[in-house]
Amino acid sequence: MAILATQFAKTTRQSANWADARRRVLASYREWMRAAPEIQQMYSVPHPVSTIRTRIRQEFERNRYCNKLSVVDVLLLKANADYQETLNYWRGDSHIMAYFDEGNLQGEKKLPSNFMTGFLEGRN
């Protein structure tokens, strides 16, 4: 597959209203879901396509309750940039595998609740 730098590029624009933002988010989500088998093949991910799709959904769900239109536009910009970098094979295997690291999946449990707990666990 020939890599074209502008093949997946999109122009930056602002959403006119929430309906427009929702349409753009769903389009981005569908693009990522359709690309999951190709991502698995390109980066030799040792997880099934269903796991990759689940992780993509978790990333989108993490920002589900964002209530500022400008923030949604920035998140869409980042999602499109990540999509372009991923499918143009501009990321390393370690960047893709970092999404499947257990430390990234823990969410709120990632950081200790207070200093003493972290200190006793041996965290820096």
Side-chain angles (χ1 to χ4, degrees):
M1 176 173 96
I3 297 175
L4 301 173
T6 59
Q7 182 177 3
F8 301 106
K10 291 186 178 180
T11 57
T12 304
R13 70 178 199 84
Q14 293 181 337
S15 299
N17 51 31
W18 282 105
D20 184 35
R22 183 178 192 278
R23 184 188 54 76
R24 292 175 60 210
V25 168
L26 290 175
S28 178
Y29 178 74
R30 287 182 188 119
E31 285 178 346
W32 275 101
M33 287 297 173
R34 287 184 191 121
E38 190 173 351
I39 292 170
Q40 181 196 30
Q41 183 181 18
M42 284 171 55
Y43 291 96
S44 302
V45 178
H47 299 288
V49 175
S50 61
T51 304
I52 296 171
R53 287 186 171 141
T54 301
R55 188 66 184 113
I56 291 169
R57 181 174 179 94
Q58 288 173 347
E59 285 295 313
F60 274 85
E61 287 285 335
R62 192 171 59 146
N63 300 308
R64 180 178 191 154
Y65 297 105
C66 180
N67 56 6
K68 284 187 155 186
L69 197 56
S70 59
V71 175
V72 171
D73 289 337
V74 170
L75 291 171
L76 276 168
L77 172 70
K78 289 181 180 182
N80 291 335
D82 287 345
Y83 181 76
Q84 181 181 9
E85 290 172 5
T86 302
L87 290 187
N88 279 331
Y89 205 71
W90 293 343
R91 291 178 175 233
D93 293 341
S94 60
H95 297 127
I96 299 297
M97 292 310 296
Y99 283 103
F100 300 100
D101 183 22
E102 287 299 319
N104 292 337
L105 300 177
Q106 291 177 356
E108 297 298 324
K109 297 178 184 176
K110 193 173 186 178
L111 295 175
S113 59
N114 58 31
F115 170 76
M116 199 57 158
T117 306
F119 179 77
L120 293 174
E121 287 178 0
R123 293 179 180 234
N124 292 336

